[in-house]
Amino acid sequence: QKHHDMFASMVFRAAALRVPNRVDFLASLGGGAPQAVVVTDLAEYVRIARPVVNCCLEMDAELDSLRQAEQAALAHGRSADKGVIAAGASASSSGTTLSTLPSTLGTSGLELSKELETHTAD
């Protein structure tokens, strides 16, 4: 939400009000498949996607911290590079960076892509 302006927030709220109930939602996702199969497929999707989402959230927090440090450095007339480097050292408390992303996810990006393709093709 911190990245959206008031208009985007209103659009998301309006869309959320139009989400169908659980039974209709699962029926539209399943394309005629039994509800139990759809729920199982969704659980598998969540299992695969959760590490990716968590890593994205960590990266977002790290980038936000870097942005704030850069803005603070510029406001105080310091070199933005020095502020960003200092913030980068403290921001990556989880140890997740773009270079460590594949090991954080426990798989390479190519392997993850293949796994997602396999499950979406079913």
Side-chain angles (χ1 to χ4, degrees):
Q1 183 178 5
K2 64 185 173 185
H3 302 295
H4 304 298
D5 60 13
M6 185 178 72
F7 179 73
S9 295
M10 290 183 344
V11 169
F12 284 121
R13 273 191 222 110
L17 292 173
R18 299 202 40 110
V19 173
N21 65 40
R22 177 185 166 93
V23 173
D24 293 342
F25 179 71
L26 292 174
S28 67
L29 285 178
Q35 187 174 0
V37 171
V38 177
V39 170
T40 302
D41 287 349
L42 282 173
E44 181 66 6
Y45 175 80
V46 168
R47 184 193 67 78
I48 293 168
R50 182 169 280 137
V52 175
V53 170
N54 288 338
C55 187
C56 288
L57 290 172
E58 289 177 13
M59 294 300 290
D60 180 59
E62 183 175 345
L63 291 172
D64 191 47
S65 178
L66 292 171
R67 179 191 54 77
Q68 289 175 9
E70 184 175 353
Q71 287 177 340
L74 291 173
H76 290 90
R78 296 188 316 247
S79 169
D81 290 337
K82 289 180 185 175
V84 169
I85 291 169
S90 65
S92 60
S93 60
S94 68
T96 302
T97 63
L98 289 175
S99 62
T100 63
L101 183 60
S103 62
T104 301
L105 296 175
T107 183
S108 74
L110 183 59
E111 291 169 339
L112 183 62
S113 176
K114 287 179 182 176
E115 188 171 351
L116 286 171
E117 285 179 14
T118 300
H119 288 286
T120 55
D122 293 341

